[in-house]
Amino acid sequence: MQRQFGTEEAIRRWNGFAKAYATRQTEWGDLYREVLLNPVLFSLLGNVEHKNVLDAGCGEGYLSRLLARSGANVTAVDYAGRMIEIAGERTPQNLGINYHRANCEDLSLFEDNCFDVIVSNMVIQDLADYERAFHEMYRLLTVGGLFIFSILHPCFVTPDSGWEKTDSGEKLHWNTDNYFYEGVYEQPFGEEENMLLFHRTLTSYINALLKTGFQLEAIEEPKPSADMLQKHRAFSDNFRYSNFIVFKLKK
């Protein structure tokens, strides 16, 4: 756990990891996104045709492209400039996606009430000031607009979580520890450096959202469908604990 690091250090590390990260992404994102996150996100989003949608933390842009192909008018931001460059390189011009280098903690480049939907996929845990980011999302949404975001599940993915295994490598059970620690820590995910994550409790997330003014509409803990389990049998472990949690909120 590294309490001294903030968002700027997270940005620096993501810029360094951007190229290697992007090589792992298909048109559906990585395997966890394809199997677990995308089905839930699109179920909660519903019909996005002709809606003004912000992809808040777009990475290399796979979700922005899926949304545009679903008929949305897509604007996308990411705080890592190298990610925005890669997203632009990968995106056909006819999709009409507007990419911007911007931090979700400060989206002052956009006017109030300018988006019908904001989706933020696996981003909020990468920000030091999540409460400020929530206020920005609320400010940018039209009245009745939706904010849908996914994060690592804070109850199960904690600073000291992981599988307990036998000497032969068989998984026994998933351990969690230091749940009530709130702050930054390094996750063994990256190339030359570990990425930074900012852990908060589920209570902190929900109270911050309610305090901001959002109305909570749904919470989902993604699990693999029967079809996905047939295709990717390794995901059977994802019935033993929840990797992710997805929120649907309304302004």
Side-chain angles (χ1 to χ4, degrees):
M1 290 176 275
Q2 305 288 339
R3 290 178 172 82
Q4 71 271 29
F5 292 144
T7 300
E8 288 303 315
E9 176 63 15
I11 293 171
R12 188 191 68 78
R13 295 191 188 196
W14 270 111
N15 272 317
F17 184 42
K19 183 178 179 180
Y21 173 83
T23 62
R24 306 177 185 182
Q25 308 303 304
T26 70
E27 63 177 318
W28 304 102
D30 61 25
L31 203 53
Y32 280 91
R33 284 164 171 77
E34 179 184 352
V35 174
L36 296 171
L37 287 167
N38 294 348
V40 171
L41 289 173
F42 280 95
S43 174
L44 294 176
L45 282 164
N47 185 5
V48 295
E49 191 171 4
H50 305 307
K51 292 183 179 179
N52 295 322
V53 178
L54 175 66
D55 185 357
C58 63
E60 55 75 55
Y62 94 90
L63 185 58
S64 296
R65 293 187 288 274
L66 292 178
L67 290 165
R69 291 187 173 109
S70 297
N73 304 313
V74 180
T75 300
V77 300
D78 199 276
Y79 65 13
R82 184 65 187 116
M83 284 291 195
I84 289 296
E85 291 173 4
I86 294 169
E89 292 164 2
R90 291 187 168 193
T91 300
Q93 288 190 352
N94 63 1
L95 289 181
I97 300 170
N98 295 309
Y99 290 107
H100 302 270
R101 194 271 183 197
N103 180 357
C104 291
E105 296 167 341
D106 180 5
L107 295 173
S108 53
L109 74 161
F110 302 121
E111 297 180 355
D112 297 357
N113 311 310
C114 61
F115 295 107
D116 304 306
V117 177
I118 297 175
V119 59
S120 186
N121 189 21
M122 300 300 293
V123 175
I124 301 298
Q125 72 246 329
D126 297 333
L127 304 173
D129 195 343
Y130 71 111
E131 292 171 297
R132 186 177 179 190
F134 288 161
H135 280 282
E136 283 292 82
M137 304 305 159
Y138 191 86
R139 177 182 69 80
L140 295 176
L141 281 171
T142 57
V143 175
L146 296 179
F147 176 36
I148 295 169
F149 75 95
S150 64
I151 54 173
L152 291 167
H153 201 308
C155 298
F156 299 104
V157 184
T158 66
D160 292 294
S161 62
W163 285 105
E164 184 170 330
K165 300 179 180 180
T166 65
D167 292 340
S168 63
E170 180 185 357
K171 294 175 181 176
L172 294 174
H173 50 79
W174 182 263
N175 291 329
T176 63
D177 198 7
N178 283 324
Y179 170 70
F180 288 104
Y181 166 77
E182 298 210 358
V184 66
Y185 70 101
E186 292 186 304
Q187 187 189 50
F189 176 68
E191 196 173 42
E192 296 181 0
E193 296 180 283
N194 291 329
M195 294 298 101
L196 298 179
L197 292 177
F198 297 86
H199 178 72
R200 300 105 191 178
T201 65
L202 189 60
T203 296
S204 292
Y205 274 117
I206 292 176
N207 284 342
L209 290 163
L210 297 177
K211 184 179 178 181
T212 301
F214 282 110
Q215 175 183 325
L216 181 60
E217 293 221 319
I219 295 176
E220 295 283 348
E221 294 167 303
K223 57 183 182 291
S225 67
D227 288 343
M228 284 295 184
L229 279 178
Q230 284 291 326
K231 186 178 179 182
H232 304 289
R233 293 188 181 276
F235 277 82
S236 60
D237 284 332
N238 289 278
F239 276 116
R240 298 175 65 180
Y241 75 101
S242 180
N243 301 80
F244 310 111
I245 188 166
V246 186
F247 296 83
K248 178 180 181 181
L249 303 120
K250 179 186 283 190
K251 178 175 176 177

